[in-house]
Amino acid sequence: MMGKLFKYEFKNTASKYWYMYAIILALTLFTKILDIIQMNLNSRFLNPPLYISMALLFIGLCFLVLLTRVFSIIRFYRDMVGNQAYLTYTLPVEVWQHIIVRLTVSVFWIIISGIVCIISVFILGAGHDLLREILNGLSSMISSIKTTQQVLFIIQLILSIIFNTASSLMMFYMAIAIGQLFNRNKAIAAAGAYVGCNMIMEVFTTLLFLLTSNRIPWILDYKDGFSTDFFNSGAEFVNSVLLLTGLVNIFFLVTFFLITERLLSRRLNIE
Amino acid sequence: MQNNDSFLNTSAASADIPLLECRNLCKSYGALPVLYNWNITIAKGRIVGLLGPNGSGKTTLIKLINGLLTPTSGEVLICGNPPGVESKKVISYLSDKDALDSGMRVEDTINLYSDFFEDFSEERMYGMLKRLSIDPMTKIGTLSKGNREKVRLILTMSREAKLYVLDEPIGGVDPAARDYILDTIIKNYSPESSILLSTHLISDVERILDDVIFVSNGQIMFADAADNIRAQGKSVDQLFRETYRF
Amino acid sequence: MTWNIDYDRPIWIQLVEQLQVALISGELNPGDAVPSVRDLAADAQVNINTMQRALAELESRGLLVPKDNRWRASGRAVTEDRSLIDEIKLNYARSILEDFTQKMRSLGLDDGEIVSKVAEYLSKTRSKGE
């Protein structure tokens, strides 16, 4: 059953999102072409259209990332609490399956949108000095970590991003689940619930960091021990933050999921 | 008028689990009770009308059966199971609110139903579509209101479910569509399943009902077989009007 | 068949009556196979259980008999027993007569006038080749 849900959710979202990706692709290629022409001609003649194109692309990328997020939330609301709820809840599928499928597919698209941004930037930056410098900096940071654990670091980074996205999205879902308890103005109630939950989470996270800042475990070994080198201490800092936020995110993700599931299965209140 | 009427179908073999059973079912929104102490039993092979004015609790009961609401107290059981995945496999629900995706084609919706419901019969569905001369490739949003209601109905009736729950199936459609809908309901009758039909348009519907349940203000007023009512010289519609005289 | 259903009398009773009329009028002949419950119910636009009850009643009166069908396990057919059908016909005629006489008498006509009116009407309609 869940496999079928995945299939339908992917199909429906892909059919809505592909327009945006097509536009981004077109803009990127167009900008790059202008860029290449300008590099070869070495004149300032093409600067205005190039810059406009870049600006458009930038706006487009922002829209892509933003809209993906917004759509995920709106879809969840519509499917679980709004107009499509009747259909959703008559399918012989458990509530937790609905939530997991939607969460996974949404996280997938959000991450894809992020990757597309990075790819776009790389395409544009190819052949320019700025890109080379950024890449150098990144590889320095990574090589400051003991070689055998570099992969671990990268994995940790990726997982952090995934869980961070998932838990923040899950908080929206939970707010929607809380909002539907109200008989009127479910959407406004959801928004209010979101603000409330956000505040609670911020307080919680701040307290947590204050309490543990002195006792963060190091899980990676550094070549030269704790050094004063910028890249080393940078890596250590990033590592510890990632670890802690990762754990906190997982905790929140699970908690929000359980609350949402409980609300939508036991205390469902569809108009 | 009694408000705790138990309604037993005499055709039921006592060993069979009833298709639908409500025991002391209550639902309140905060302090406002919408359903009070409902006891209903529906055996298989019956077409039951849930009749009452708007706001009497009919739609609330239907939502409780389908798991869209949870009871405040009491229970609702479908083939012995509370609302959940198991009950949803055997209930085919036609909501009064149109929940179809306007952007999808009829065919896509059929594939969806076919995928998720094992008891969905594509053969029956396409057969009925053909007789209605509706092209499966049409987008749902472009169908006329009457056709849209018909498509929703035949999607519901193309399943070989145990309990069909139809919420106001003939509201808002022209008389020809109404006849079609009622005939489709009769034709898809099976002695192994039952149909719960909720409406406030009694006279159009009474000819197909085995049994009727009158509800008002969240309470069951009365329940009996339709022909028993007629044996007393009144049509169901007449009795209904007298009961709810304003 | 054309069906005429009122909703203020039990429907199954009306179905029994109208099926009997079909039997005695010759629309259904002795020995004919009767359409399935489903088809009859759809034709009359009534609930299948209601039609089932009507057919069961006719079966208990001996007017319909079970018949093995090539396709259906349980079908029904009109009885071959013409005497039964004739009896129904007579009963029906009697009730029409009762009804007629009652109505004519309530108009104030005496028995002699009733008889002569009937004879008059019969000869008139016969000459018109009815």
Side-chain angles (χ1 to χ4, degrees):
Chain A
M1 263 321 147
M2 225 160 110
K4 294 178 193 169
L5 266 189
F6 266 114
K7 179 177 95 167
Y8 278 97
E9 193 63 17
F10 265 117
K11 261 173 56 174
N12 290 338
T13 44
S15 67
K16 303 264 157 57
Y17 288 152
W18 76 271
Y19 305 111
M20 296 197 286
Y21 288 103
I23 294 176
I24 296 292
L25 181 67
L27 268 178
T28 309
L29 289 175
F30 181 67
T31 315
K32 190 62 192 169
I33 290 173
L34 286 181
D35 183 45
I36 292 176
I37 297 176
Q38 199 227 22
M39 277 199 301
N40 285 335
L41 290 184
N42 205 18
S43 79
R44 299 196 172 270
F45 157 66
L46 275 177
N47 270 350
L50 178 60
Y51 289 162
I52 293 174
S53 193
M54 274 172 65
L56 282 177
L57 181 61
F58 178 73
I59 294 173
L61 289 173
C62 288
F63 256 90
L64 178 69
V65 172
L66 199 63
L67 283 182
T68 308
R69 223 145 195 254
V70 168
F71 277 172
S72 298
I73 298 166
I74 292 181
R75 276 186 75 86
F76 189 84
Y77 183 85
R78 187 198 67 164
D79 289 343
M80 306 297 281
V81 172
N83 288 332
Q84 298 270 60
Y86 275 89
L87 181 60
T88 307
Y89 292 107
T90 42
L91 297 177
V93 170
E94 304 269 11
V95 169
W96 62 265
Q97 290 172 318
H98 277 298
I99 299 176
I100 289 191
V101 167
R102 284 158 217 282
L103 181 71
T104 313
V105 173
S106 300
V107 167
F108 170 79
W109 286 115
I110 291 174
I111 292 184
I112 294 278
S113 70
I115 292 177
V116 164
C117 279
I118 295 175
I119 293 178
S120 244
V121 168
F122 267 55
I123 291 179
L124 280 194
H128 290 271
D129 291 333
L130 183 63
L131 187 69
R132 232 168 282 140
E133 281 176 28
I134 295 175
L135 286 177
N136 280 340
L138 280 175
S139 59
S140 298
M141 188 167 106
I142 292 180
S143 52
S144 72
I145 304 169
K146 196 165 168 189
T147 327
T148 48
Q149 294 180 332
Q150 284 173 357
V151 175
L152 183 65
F153 178 77
I154 301 214
I155 292 176
Q156 196 181 9
L157 186 66
I158 293 175
L159 284 179
S160 282
I161 295 175
I162 293 178
F163 280 116
N164 192 23
T165 316
S167 76
S168 78
L169 201 58
M170 198 68 227
M171 190 159 83
F172 275 103
Y173 289 177
M174 182 177 75
I176 289 175
I178 295 174
Q180 61 95 33
L181 291 174
F182 293 77
N183 294 327
R184 297 168 199 261
N185 301 323
K186 290 182 202 262
I188 297 178
Y194 180 74
V195 170
C197 291
N198 212 16
M199 286 198 299
I200 295 175
M201 222 193 70
E202 303 236 322
V203 169
F204 183 88
T205 323
T206 316
L207 279 176
L208 190 69
F209 271 105
L210 284 175
L211 291 172
T212 62
S213 55
N214 293 327
R215 305 190 207 107
I216 298 167
W218 307 116
I219 64 161
L220 300 182
D221 294 337
Y222 295 94
K223 284 186 192 148
D224 308 307
F226 289 12
S227 81
T228 52
D229 184 316
F230 171 71
F231 282 120
N232 275 338
S233 54
E236 286 157 16
F237 179 69
V238 167
N239 170 48
S240 61
V241 166
L242 277 183
L243 187 64
L244 193 58
T245 20
L247 290 173
V248 167
N249 274 324
I250 293 177
F251 168 74
F252 278 134
L253 178 64
V254 170
T255 313
F256 294 163
F257 173 80
L258 289 175
I259 295 177
T260 309
E261 197 275 340
R262 201 40 42 129
L263 284 175
L264 291 179
S265 62
R266 303 282 169 87
R267 313 261 274 128
L268 194 60
N269 191 26
I270 300 296
E271 208 28 59
Chain B
M1 298 278 187
Q2 300 137 296
N3 53 15
N4 305 359
D5 260 338
S6 250
F7 183 49
L8 282 157
N9 290 274
T10 51
S11 68
S14 52
D16 283 336
I17 299 178
L19 248 40
L20 177 70
E21 202 176 343
C22 300
R23 295 187 198 154
N24 301 320
L25 189 60
C26 299
K27 175 68 183 171
S28 310
Y29 286 112
L32 180 70
V34 215
L35 224 73
Y36 183 70
N37 219 4
W38 284 30
N39 286 287
I40 298 178
T41 308
I42 297 183
K44 56 183 184 174
R46 312 295 285 178
I47 301 185
V48 181
L50 188 62
L51 312 176
N54 289 324
S56 47
K58 310 190 302 277
T59 303
T60 308
L61 175 71
I62 289 178
K63 287 194 203 170
L64 285 165
I65 294 173
N66 284 289
L68 291 165
L69 289 176
T70 39
T72 307
S73 70
E75 43 181 0
V76 47
L77 297 170
I78 299 97
C79 297
N81 291 318
V85 176
E86 284 312 306
S87 75
K88 289 174 191 182
K89 286 184 185 164
V90 301
I91 297 179
S92 189
Y93 173 37
L94 180 65
S95 54
D96 62 346
K97 213 168 132 181
D98 192 339
L100 290 180
D101 194 340
S102 292
M104 281 172 99
R105 296 176 199 277
V106 176
E107 192 183 54
D108 296 326
T109 315
I110 295 175
N111 290 335
L112 182 78
Y113 270 63
S114 181
D115 251 343
F116 281 98
F117 296 112
E118 270 178 41
D119 57 17
F120 187 80
S121 162
E122 286 196 23
E123 206 186 303
R124 228 198 269 183
M125 177 78 200
Y126 281 112
M128 289 198 268
L129 265 186
K130 197 163 169 208
R131 263 170 268 145
L132 285 170
S133 307
I134 296 180
D135 178 10
M137 296 300 285
T138 18
K139 281 217 164 131
I140 291 183
T142 60
L143 289 172
S144 68
K145 174 148 198 223
N147 275 347
R148 206 165 156 151
E149 290 304 306
K150 287 183 196 170
V151 167
R152 292 208 307 131
L153 177 82
I154 63 184
L155 273 170
T156 310
M157 301 308 291
S158 293
R159 282 187 54 197
E160 308 233 354
K162 292 261 166 60
L163 182 66
Y164 296 90
V165 180
L166 313 176
D167 197 349
E168 300 283 0
I170 59 169
V173 291
D174 61 80
R178 263 182 221 180
D179 279 340
Y180 175 80
I181 290 172
L182 292 171
D183 286 344
T184 307
I185 295 174
I186 299 178
K187 288 209 180 95
N188 281 287
Y189 166 89
S190 146
E192 290 304 310
S193 56
S194 287
I195 299 176
L196 179 66
L197 199 162
S198 128
T199 185
H200 61 283
L201 300 168
I202 320 287
S203 54
D204 293 303
V205 142
E206 69 166 289
R207 60 179 165 88
I208 69 166
L209 301 176
D210 278 307
D211 311 303
V212 301
I213 305 176
F214 281 20
V215 299
S216 169
N217 281 331
Q219 294 186 340
I220 297 184
M221 309 297 285
F222 172 79
D224 203 353
D227 267 352
N228 286 353
I229 295 174
R230 296 189 190 104
Q232 322 209 347
K234 296 196 179 110
S235 71
V236 176
D237 186 41
Q238 255 173 289
L239 180 63
F240 181 81
R241 283 168 203 265
E242 284 172 20
T243 315
Y244 299 113
R245 213 193 322 252
F246 291 86
Chain C
M1 268 186 73
T2 34
W3 303 84
N4 229 321
I5 314 279
D6 290 322
Y7 295 137
D8 53 4
R9 293 175 54 217
I11 294 183
W12 73 276
I13 293 181
Q14 297 176 59
L15 295 176
V16 168
E17 290 168 359
Q18 295 185 28
L19 280 166
Q20 278 186 176
V21 169
L23 284 175
I24 59 184
S25 70
E27 208 175 323
L28 285 169
N29 288 312
D32 275 356
V34 172
S36 73
V37 188
R38 201 176 277 271
D39 291 336
L40 278 173
D43 192 39
Q45 298 184 313
V46 295
N47 186 305
I48 289 187
N49 288 326
T50 314
M51 181 59 77
Q52 179 66 26
R53 192 171 174 188
L55 294 177
E57 173 66 22
L58 287 170
E59 218 176 304
S60 73
R61 293 186 190 180
L63 288 165
L64 293 180
V65 295
K67 177 183 185 133
D68 277 324
N69 226 302
R70 255 174 301 171
W71 313 285
R72 299 193 291 268
S74 57
R76 286 191 182 88
V78 183
T79 182
E80 306 259 0
D81 185 357
R82 286 165 202 273
S83 64
L84 217 60
I85 298 181
D86 288 339
E87 196 184 313
I88 306 276
K89 217 182 266 197
L90 278 171
N91 282 335
Y92 197 66
R94 197 178 299 136
S95 72
I96 293 179
L97 252 176
E98 268 176 29
D99 195 42
F100 169 79
T101 326
Q102 220 172 43
K103 288 196 174 125
M104 293 297 265
R105 280 185 184 154
S106 72
L107 287 173
L109 299 168
D110 68 46
D111 291 359
E113 287 174 304
I114 295 176
V115 174
S116 63
K117 289 257 179 285
V118 171
E120 209 183 299
Y121 184 76
L122 283 175
S123 62
K124 212 192 296 181
T125 52
R126 200 181 304 132
S127 64
K128 282 203 178 134
E130 182 166 291

